[in-house]
């Protein structure tokens, strides 16, 4: 070991200069960042939304270690170094800057994930987490590849190898990946969310959980139904939670002996009844057809709410109103009837409790 180098006054002077410049630079950079963050938070009024709030939060996650590395590089810049140190310092600048940019981008992704639940709406937590993880993987992968490229590593062959390996893995777990991407599609496109009432095929129930591979539905009869995300998106899904109104169509019939003038009045009766029901809007009521055993009326009205219980309450009031109104008019509801005509011959003897009834006269 060359101890004479340690006795060189020039070396210690350079070390002192580097140390002084490093600490002064570190203090100046910390003070400048604190001042900028204070101004940005003042502009954002303490909120983390908006450009000012996001920028302040990103600066809050500036690494002190990387800030010290920048300060050290500034200190080394003021002294004369051997030529081989110049290239090392250039790599050092890039590595420190790449790490800090990755930290800022990671913070931006986290703030975006938090903003998805800021409005209080129910979200798909699995989808949000997956998207956040994928974005973070992209950020840190790009940072690592850029550092390797700056250090002179040939990343082309590495990226090609990763691509081939990714294809092999994708083929091995293609069923799982199809469900994962279906979950992402549900989270981004939002055909339904947690709490919605959906109907598809012979399944009807409320969405309880949207997972990485499957969606769980609580059916009307109480059991939990688990459906694959990929299979669910291939169905035609009816989302009743997003209904604004209900169009109701129902029919009833009156007997054939009803006079035509009273048949004309029935439509007006139905209109008065529906107009008197809350949140029900009359559309039409018509004498539709001559059916077996009845004169059929078709009625259409619009419920101004999607609530099923309120619809059933309104339908009950309409049915009771029809029952009372037709009785007041002297009109009877129709019911299935069958007439049998006996022609010729003699009717058989009938007995009740062993007592024979009088023989009816035969029809001539």
């Amino acid at each position: 070991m060359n101890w004479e180098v340690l006795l060189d006054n020039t070396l210690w002077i350079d070390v002192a200069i580097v140390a002084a410049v490093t600490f002064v630079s570190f203090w100046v950079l910390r003070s400048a960042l604190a001042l900028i963050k204070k101004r940005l938070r003042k502009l954002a009024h303490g909120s983390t939304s908006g450009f000012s709030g996001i920028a302040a939060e990103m600066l809050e996650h500036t690494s002190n270690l990387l800030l010290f590395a920048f300060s050290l590089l500034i200190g080394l810049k003021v002294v004369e170094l051997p030529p081989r140190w110049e290239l090392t310092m250039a790599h050092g600048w890039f590595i420190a800057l790449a790490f800090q940019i990755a930290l800022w981008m990671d913070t931006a992704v986290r703030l975006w994930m938090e903003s998805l639940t800021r409005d209080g709406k129910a979200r798909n937590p699995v989808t949000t987490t997956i998207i956040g993880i994928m974005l973070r993987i992209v950020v840190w992968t790009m940072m690592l590849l850029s550092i390797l490229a700056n250090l002179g590593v040939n990343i082309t062959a590495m990226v090609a190898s990763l691509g081939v390996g990714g294809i092999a893995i994708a083929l091995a777990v293609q069923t799982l990946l199809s469900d994962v991407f279906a979950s992402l599609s549900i989270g981004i496109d939002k055909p339904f969310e947690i709490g919605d009432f959906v109907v598809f095929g012979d399944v009807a129930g409320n969405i309880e959980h949207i997972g990485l591979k499957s969606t769980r539905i609580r059916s009307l009869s109480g059991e939990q139904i688990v459906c694959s995300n990929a299979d669910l998106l291939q169905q035609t899904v009816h989302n009743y939670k997003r209904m604004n109104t209900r169009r109701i169509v129902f029919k009833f019939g009156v007997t054939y002996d009803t006079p035509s003038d009273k048949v004309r009045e029935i439509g007006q009766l139905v209109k008065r009844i529906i107009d008197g029901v809350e949140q029900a809007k009359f559309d039409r009521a018509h004498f539709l057809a001559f059916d077996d055993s009845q004169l059929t009326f078709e009625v259409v009205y619009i419920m101004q709410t999607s609530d099923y219980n309120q619809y059933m309450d309104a339908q009950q009031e309409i049915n009771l109103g029809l029952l009372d109104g037709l009785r007041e008019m002297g009109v009877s509801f129709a019911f299935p009837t069958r007439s049998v005509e006996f022609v010729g011959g003699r009717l058989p003897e009938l007995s009740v409790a062993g007592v024979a009834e009088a023989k009816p006269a035969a029809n001539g």
Side-chain angles (χ1 to χ4, degrees), residues 155 180 192 200 209 213 313 355:
I155 63 172
V180 171
F192 50 80
F200 60 93
H209 176 72
K213 190 178 187 304
D313 291 340
V355 179

Side-chain angles (χ1 to χ4, degrees), residues 337-359:
T337 59
R338 183 179 297 274
S339 299
V340 179
E341 183 179 359
F342 186 80
V343 180
R346 183 182 297 274
L347 292 174
E349 293 184 2
L350 299 177
S351 62
V352 179
V355 179
E357 292 186 353
K359 295 180 179 180

Side-chain angles (χ1 to χ4, degrees), residues 77-213:
K77 199 72 176 176
V78 300
V79 298
E80 185 177 354
L81 296 174
R84 59 187 180 88
W85 282 79
E86 294 293 335
L87 182 59
T88 303
M89 287 183 60
H91 292 319
W93 283 105
F94 186 85
I95 292 173
L97 184 61
F99 266 105
Q100 187 56 67
I101 291 176
L103 284 174
W104 286 338
M105 295 299 297
D106 187 86
T107 302
V109 172
R110 181 180 58 80
L111 291 175
W112 172 76
M113 292 175 61
E114 292 177 355
S115 69
L116 294 179
T117 56
R118 193 169 294 144
D119 55 2
K121 294 182 178 179
R123 303 284 179 177
N124 183 354
V126 176
T127 301
T128 305
T129 303
I130 291 174
I131 295 176
I133 292 174
M134 291 177 63
L135 290 176
R136 287 180 172 183
I137 290 175
V138 170
V139 168
W140 290 101
T141 301
M142 294 299 295
M143 181 273 297
L144 179 61
L145 292 177
S146 61
I147 290 176
L148 292 177
N150 183 263
L151 293 176
V153 178
N154 184 9
I155 63 172
T156 304
M158 183 183 300
V159 172
S161 300
L162 291 175
V164 174
I167 293 174
I169 295 174
L171 290 175
V173 294
Q174 56 182 341
T175 302
L176 176 60
L177 288 177
S178 64
D179 289 326
V180 171
F181 282 111
S183 177
L184 291 176
S185 177
I186 293 172
I188 295 173
D189 191 48
K190 295 182 180 61
F192 50 80
E193 295 180 346
I194 296 174
D196 288 1
F197 182 83
V198 299
V199 175
F200 60 93
D202 58 350
V203 177
N206 292 91
I207 302 293
E208 276 194 342
H209 176 72
I210 303 174
L212 184 66
K213 190 178 187 304

Side-chain angles (χ1 to χ4, degrees), residues 266-268 270-271 282-287 297-300:
I266 291 176
Q268 295 301 319
V270 174
K271 184 178 186 303
F282 176 78
D283 186 15
R284 63 180 178 86
H286 291 98
F287 170 31
F297 282 81
E298 183 179 67
V299 181
V300 179

